[in-house]
Amino acid sequence: MTMLLSRRTALGAALGLAGGRLFTPSSGACAARFAMLHQPGIATPPLPFLYFIAFDLTTEKRTDVAALMQRWTRAADALMTGGSVPGLVDSGEAEGLATKDLTLTFGFGPGLFTRDDKDRYGLAARRPAPLADLPRFNGDQLVPAHTGGDLCVQSCAGDPQTAFHAVRILARLAYDIATPRWVQTGFAPDFGKGRTPRNLMGFKDGTINPDIRDPGIAARVLWASPADQPWMQGGSYLVARIIRMALEHWDRTKVGFQEETMGRQKRSGAPIGGHGEFEPLTLKQTDRDGNPITAQGAHARLGAPEENDGAQILRRAYAYDNGLNYTAERWPPWRQGNEFDAGLMFLAYQQDPRTGFTKIFEQMSKFDMMNQFTTHVGGGLFACPGRRPDGYIGQQLLEM
Amino acid sequence: MTMLLSRRTALGAALGLAGGRLFTPSSGACAARFAMLHQPGIATPPLPFLYFIAFDLTTEKRTDVAALMQRWTRAADALMTGGSVPGLVDSGEAEGLATKDLTLTFGFGPGLFTRDDKDRYGLAARRPAPLADLPRFNGDQLVPAHTGGDLCVQSCAGDPQTAFHAVRILARLAYDIATPRWVQTGFAPDFGKGRTPRNLMGFKDGTINPDIRDPGIAARVLWASPADQPWMQGGSYLVARIIRMALEHWDRTKVGFQEETMGRQKRSGAPIGGHGEFEPLTLKQTDRDGNPITAQGAHARLGAPEENDGAQILRRAYAYDNGLNYTAERWPPWRQGNEFDAGLMFLAYQQDPRTGFTKIFEQMSKFDMMNQFTTHVGGGLFACPGRRPDGYIGQQLLEM
């Protein structure tokens, strides 16, 4: 369930082949270049169901956090191999399930290092620079109750009961140390092998994801830099955003307008004026009047590396559906009433959010035509460290 | 996608075989014994994902309701056969999905007949007796925002995106006539063919469901009585209850106590003192001290037909998971904080809720040891009519 980032090539190749991918350090020697495993759920193939949970730490002791991470790592190793957690009576609801696939990915939020300007656990000096608080973006409507968190767990599984079962056990193990802050579940149904899934807007989502099977791309885009904190080697940074879609509004627009907004064709996923999904975007082409055929404010343009000095992130998004909530429409005829509380649970992994998500979303939050239909209502920023094969997640940070 | 209740044996057999089951009238002639189809989603095999939605009617005209049901029936027929809805640009998110399975089941709540003592649509005289308002049960904590509704749609599918896609289209078709009131999604993951699924308490759930493959049982337990309203022939009554489980509390109890509470063994599903899941409950057996081995307040006992004058209902329950909400625990040490808002979306079909759900739950709501761990927080009561093969759902009611 893990992948190795190591100089020990034989072991690395073995584990790497088992996981389908092998990453090797991109350059140079580094004092911290001990053997480190990547956590699963970052570069491993996405599983169809998500249970994402953020926790607030309630303890005042660093040793409690270390004990929790040790317990969680051991539990995760057991759960991901279909076993039960030593010393704990299992709640039983996953026993006999047809699918066992599960990845558990753990992250540390800014609050582990500093909260209310206080160095809670003596770790502030080791807060990695890429874990800088995200700026407030144009249009942000982040609800505090669904935002932030000191710790996070991304649980992905073949069915929702398995994903929830794992989190429920982890939450039990956190009793008296950390308390659940927010949750967002999600789903990414099966559109067939190798085919890009469609999000709730009906468009293919994920076409331009970087090809992290290329170790050079993964080392540059996804994994923490060799210059990052030693405890982050083999790790990655997660930006989570709960992005509500005004589906009732979207559904009442014409497909031509939707395509202009998206910068892609709806059925095929091809660029505007193009034919195949994987053709390059038509960013420079103009029509006979000299207007760009992909609109300046098109979503695909604003997200493209070409328009962001090459910035790339690895998106692992899920659709989310929270039922209904009471909404005042922001489109004619400005009704008020219950509307679908659904959209995208955006999860993106990257080497550095400052040059990844923030770089891309800075422009997007201002100019994306899609912003008429989407609102960021929650989320968080988390450092997901690597791990020594014989250690626990976060050990090098928490025991320093 | 439908099943026939008809005197036209040839057609009935053909459609019945296609659907896997054929029901024939249990007795006697009846003026209303025209050919009627059962709606799918009642006796058809359950699909793993649920999107349940209740609507409030906002129109004052019966003809609007009739037009809506006509539109909904046509749309449902198209969607359930994998087609798109005539005259509507599809939102597209289900295009290319690997699974196409979908059942849509429509129901009428008491509010279609009477609201605030007003006969809104001139239908009050045709309100069927089994659609009597449910009594307030002991312990009910029904939240108005998640309770009731004039219309309901039960959308069940092979994945959550298909189930939601269908509802989203139906909600568009209801614009200006009905508005969404509450939603509850659910899941019933795959435990293997023919095996009883486990609910979030970790126990097998559904062991004693009546065998509706037996036409006599289905006619007695499930389908509206021949003496019921003509427009309900071929139909059934749905009781929906959102049952929150105090999972944090449950998980801290010993398995032995859980089994005593449930009246079954956790791993096997066997009765207390028994060996196999499908053995009869040990309702009369006593231990050497003369105490019943299945506790008087055990959940399985209180739900058993033997303890309820033979009352039976067809349960089609789903697990639900709404993330977290802020909860004051009702067990030591009485903490307050975010806890899992999860449990059971209980859906039960029956011939008459007065002699079905109400009969059973009357005792259960008072004496079930399980009530320490469960709270009914929402739900509704709906009449799900049959349908003429060439007509729309509710036509005989709405055009009378």
Side-chain angles (χ1 to χ4, degrees), chain B residues 19 28 33 36 43 54 70 109 137 192 227 232 332 343 387:
Chain B
R33 193 56 50 70
M36 291 288 272
Q70 192 161 18
F137 294 101
M232 271 301 291
R387 168 191 170 192

Side-chain angles (χ1 to χ4, degrees), chain B residues 208-226:
Chain B
I208 65 151
N209 247 348
D211 184 3
I212 54 156
R213 290 169 304 182
D214 179 328
I217 294 177
R220 179 169 49 79
V221 168
L222 185 59
W223 304 117
S225 153

Side-chain angles (χ1 to χ4, degrees), chain A residues 212-224:
Chain A
I212 54 155
R213 291 170 304 181
D214 179 329
I217 294 177
R220 179 169 51 77
V221 168
L222 184 59
W223 303 116

Side-chain angles (χ1 to χ4, degrees), chain B residues 308-352:
Chain B
N308 290 288
D309 300 330
Q312 278 184 294
I313 55 181
L314 179 68
R315 285 171 293 148
R316 295 174 68 99
Y318 288 83
Y320 86 82
D321 168 22
N322 293 343
L324 303 173
N325 69 11
Y326 196 84
T327 307
E329 291 181 353
R330 43 184 176 132
W331 60 89
W334 296 281
R335 287 163 199 265
Q336 297 181 66
N338 283 333
E339 304 214 321
F340 295 121
D341 181 6
L344 194 75
M345 176 58 170
F346 173 91
L347 299 171
Y349 287 92
Q350 56 222 282
Q351 182 173 78
D352 187 337

Side-chain angles (χ1 to χ4, degrees), chain A residues 146 182 184 240-244 320 344-345 375-379:
Chain A
H146 298 128
W182 61 276
Q184 185 57 63
R241 306 283 281 191
I242 307 171
I243 306 177
R244 182 170 175 170
Y320 85 81
L344 194 74
M345 176 58 170
T375 311
H376 289 227
V377 296

Side-chain angles (χ1 to χ4, degrees), chain A residues 31-315:
Chain A
R33 193 58 48 71
F34 33 65
M36 291 288 271
L37 299 171
H38 301 313
Q39 291 192 61
I42 300 174
T44 50
L47 294 169
F49 292 93
L50 167 76
Y51 194 106
F52 188 92
I53 183 165
F55 290 85
D56 284 332
L57 284 163
T58 52
T59 183
E60 296 180 359
K61 290 187 238 163
R62 192 210 291 186
T63 50
D64 280 348
V65 184
L68 174 61
M69 292 312 301
Q70 193 161 17
R71 229 178 287 163
W72 272 4
T73 302
R74 200 170 48 213
D77 287 350
L79 291 164
M80 289 190 290
T81 52
S84 54
V85 177
L88 192 81
V89 178
D90 195 279
S91 43
E93 74 276 19
E95 187 179 319
L97 275 169
T99 60
K100 299 282 183 200
D101 293 344
L102 174 69
T103 63
L104 293 167
T105 317
F106 299 86
F108 298 144
L112 178 65
F113 302 91
T114 322
R115 192 157 73 183
D116 304 330
D117 292 323
K118 199 181 148 199
D119 183 358
R120 303 165 76 192
Y121 305 109
L123 298 170
R126 289 171 184 119
R127 177 172 174 169
L131 196 69
D133 291 321
L134 295 182
R136 189 194 175 286
F137 294 101
N138 187 54
D140 269 3
Q141 303 271 347
L142 307 185
V143 176
H146 298 128
T147 303
D150 300 327
L151 305 173
C152 78
V153 183
Q154 172 196 281
S155 176
C156 299
D159 65 66
Q161 194 141 319
T162 302
F164 181 34
H165 171 252
V167 166
R168 185 170 157 190
I169 284 180
L170 298 173
R172 281 170 72 186
L173 294 172
Y175 206 61
D176 283 336
I177 298 178
T179 187
R181 179 178 176 85
W182 61 276
V183 157
Q184 185 57 63
T185 60
F187 50 91
D190 183 11
F191 280 85
K193 204 172 163 59
R195 297 171 74 176
T196 312
R198 291 181 186 276
N199 68 24
L200 293 180
M201 287 182 157
F203 278 77
K204 295 184 178 182
D205 194 330
T207 301
I208 65 152
N209 247 350
D211 184 3
I212 54 155
R213 291 170 304 181
D214 179 329
I217 294 177
R220 179 169 51 77
V221 168
L222 184 59
W223 303 116
S225 153
D228 203 333
Q229 292 276 344
W231 63 268
M232 270 302 290
Q233 296 305 306
S236 188
Y237 293 89
L238 169 63
V239 174
R241 306 283 281 191
I242 307 171
I243 306 177
R244 182 170 175 170
M245 295 171 174
L247 294 176
E248 290 85 351
H249 190 191
W250 182 253
D251 284 349
R252 289 191 183 92
T253 59
K254 291 192 186 307
V255 171
F257 176 74
Q258 293 180 357
E259 293 181 331
E260 189 184 346
T261 301
M262 191 66 81
R264 287 188 177 274
Q265 297 173 51
K266 192 164 188 178
R267 179 171 276 254
S268 64
I272 304 295
H275 298 284
E277 179 187 348
F278 297 100
E279 290 177 11
L281 290 168
T282 51
L283 300 175
K284 295 195 192 302
Q285 288 88 327
T286 52
D287 64 15
R288 69 185 68 178
D289 299 323
N291 297 315
I293 64 170
T294 296
Q296 292 295 0
H299 182 73
R301 174 191 291 277
L302 289 160
E306 300 90 316
E307 305 271 322
N308 290 288
D309 301 328
Q312 279 183 293
I313 55 181
L314 180 69
R315 285 171 292 147

